[in-house]
C-alpha cells in the first residue's frame, strides 16, 4: 500500500496513456484511430529521446547540438538487427529490438563521447555540432550501413515475439512503446539518484570542486554521455518499429533541435519537464503543422517567450506555485488567473490572425490557397482583417498589463506569507 502511494503518479500516467486512444476509437468499425496511435507513439519515443538529452543538459550541464547522432545510430543498429532476424541469421524477440538500439547507441556514445567529453561548455557544444554534421554527411555517403537517401527499410512482423504478439497493428506497437517508455523513464529516474547522477550534478555546478575531492570530471562526463546514448538508442529502436524505416533524417540537426526544444520548453530543472516539452513540441509538429504553414514560426516564438519569461520551463512554472500550495492558499490565485485569461486569449487570437494573414499573403498565395475562418473566405489584401488583428494585439496587451499588475500584487503577498511561514527561503 505504501508503494502505491509513493508511485501513484506513474500508475495514473500509465492508465491515462492506455485509455486515451479509446477516446478516438471507432466502435462501428472496431478499430483505433491510426493517426492518434502514431501521434501518441511519437510522443513516447520523443519523451525517451528528450529525457536522454536531459541527462546531458539538465544533469551534467552539457549543451549538445548533435544528440540525434546517438538516437539515429541506435536506430540504424536496430534496423540492421531486425533485418538479420528476418533473414534467419540471428534470433531476437521483437520486444528486445529497442534494447539492441540502446546497446548500439551506448557503443557509439562511448566511442564518440571519448572525443567530445574532453571539453565542456561552449567547446563541447561546438564539437557536438560538428559531429552531428559529420555523421549526417556520412549517412549519405556510406551506403552499406546507412543506406543513403533511401535509408534502411525493415519489416517489424518477425514472428519472434515472446508474448505471441504479431505487431501488425498500431495498437500493439503503441503498447510496446508505452512499456519501453516507462522502463526507460524509471531507469533514468533511478539514475539521477546514483553516485554517477549526483556527481554529474556536482561537475555541472562546480567541476573544480568535484575534481578537488578526487573525481575526474571528464570521466563523469564520458559515463553520462555513454548512458545517455543508451537511452537515446532505445528511442531509436522504437522509432524503427513504428515507422519500419530509418533514414539520414534521424541523425540530422533538426532532430537534435527537437530534443533541445522539448527540454528547454518543458524545463531542464525537473525530471518530468522534458516530457511536458515533448508533448508540446510533438503536438505543434504533428497537429499545428496540418493546420498552418507557419507552424515553425509558432515554435520559434514559443521558444523565445520561454527563454525570456520562463527560463525554468513549464515545470518551473508549476514549481513556482508549490510554496503557495503548501500554505493552503493556492485558490486565491484563481481569480487573478481568470482575470488574465481574456486578455491573454485576445493577444493569442490577434497574433495568430496576424501570422496567418501574412502566411496566406505569401506562401498561401503561391500555393493557390484561400484563408477561411468557419467556412468564410477572408480577403488577405483587404485592410479590415489586418486592422482587426492589430487591434486585438494592442487591446489585449493594454488589458493584460492592467491584469498583470493585480496578479503581481497578489502573488507577492502570497510569496511573502510563504516566506514568513518558513515554506521557502
Amino acid at each position: 500500500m505504501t508503494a502505491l502511494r509513493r508511485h501513484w503518479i506513474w500508475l495514473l500516467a500509465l492508465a491515462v496513456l492506455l485509455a486515451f486512444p479509446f477516446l478516438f476509437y471507432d466502435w462501428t468499425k472496431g478499430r483505433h484511430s491510426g493517426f492518434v496511435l502514431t501521434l501518441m507513439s511519437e510522443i513516447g519515443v520523443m519523451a525517451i529521446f528528450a529525457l536522454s538529452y536531459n541527462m546531458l543538459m539538465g544533469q551534467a550541464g552539457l549543451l549538445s547540438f548533435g544528440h540525434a547522432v546517438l538516437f539515429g545510430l541506435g536506430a540504424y543498429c536496430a534496423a540492421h538487427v531486425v533485418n538479420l532476424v528476418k533473414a534467419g541469421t540471428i534470433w531476437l524477440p521483437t520486444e528486445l529490438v529497442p534494447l539492441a538500439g540502446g546497446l548500439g547507441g551506448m557503443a557509439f556514445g562511448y566511442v564518440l563521447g571519448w572525443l567530445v567529453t574532453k571539453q565542456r561548455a561552449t567547446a563541447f557544444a561546438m564539437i557536438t555540432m560538428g559531429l552531428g554534421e559529420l555523421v549526417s554527411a556520412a549517412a549519405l555517403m556510406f551506403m552499406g550501413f546507412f543506406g543513403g537517401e533511401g535509408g534502411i527499410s525493415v519489416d517489424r512482423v518477425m514472428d519472434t515475439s515472446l508474448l505471441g504478439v504479431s505487431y501488425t497493428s498500431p495498437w500493439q506497437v503503441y503498447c510496446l512503446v508505452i512499456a519501453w517508455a516507462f522502463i526507460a523513464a524509471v531507469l533514468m529516474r533511478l539514475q539521477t539518484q546514483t553516485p554517477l547522477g549526483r556527481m554529474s550534478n556536482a561537475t555541472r555546478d562546480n567541476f573544480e570542486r568535484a575534481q578537488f575531492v578526487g573525481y575526474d570530471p571528464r570521466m563523469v562526463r564520458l559515463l553520462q554521455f555513454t548512458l545517455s546514448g543508451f537511452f537515446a538508442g532505445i528511442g531509436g529502436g522504437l522509432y524503427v518499429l513504428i515507422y519500419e524505416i530509418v533514414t539520414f533524417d534521424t541523425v540530422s540537426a533538426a532532430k537534435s533541435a527537437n530534443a533541445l526544444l522539448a527540454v528547454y520548453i518543458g524545463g531542464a530543472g525537473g525530471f518530468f519537464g522534458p516530457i511536458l516539452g515533448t508533448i508540446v513540441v510533438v503536438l505543434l509538429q504533428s497537429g499545428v503543422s496540418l493546420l498552418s504553414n507557419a507552424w515553425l514560426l509558432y515554435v520559434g516564438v514559443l521558444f523565445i517567450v520561454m527563454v525570456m519569461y520562463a527560463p525554468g520551463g513549464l515545470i518551473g512554472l508549476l514549481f513556482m506555485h508549490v510554496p503557495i500550495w503548501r500554505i493552503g492558499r493556492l485558490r486565491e490565485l484563481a481569480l487573478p488567473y481568470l482575470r488574465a485569461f481574456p486578455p491573454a486569449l485576445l493577444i493569442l487570437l490577434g497574433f495568430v490572425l496576424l501570422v496567418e494573414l501574412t502566411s496566406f499573403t505569401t506562401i498561401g498565395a503561391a500555393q493557390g490557397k484561400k484563408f477561411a475562418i468557419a467556412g468564410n473566405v477572408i480577403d488577405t489584401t483587404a485592410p479590415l482583417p489586418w486592422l482587426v488583428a492589430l487591434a486585438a494585439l494592442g487591446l489585449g496587451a493594454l488589458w493584460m498589463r492592467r491584469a498583470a499588475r493585480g496578479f503581481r500584487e497578489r502573488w507577492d503577498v502570497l510569496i511573502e506569507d510563504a516566506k514568513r511561514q518558513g515554506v521557502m527561503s
Side-chain angles (χ1 to χ4, degrees), residues 12 277 287 301 338 389:
L12 177 62
V301 171
L338 287 175

Side-chain angles (χ1 to χ4, degrees), residues 334-345 399-400 403-404 407:
L335 185 58
Y337 271 123
L338 287 175
R339 289 174 176 171
F341 179 76
L345 182 61
W399 192 359
M400 175 59 77
F407 179 87

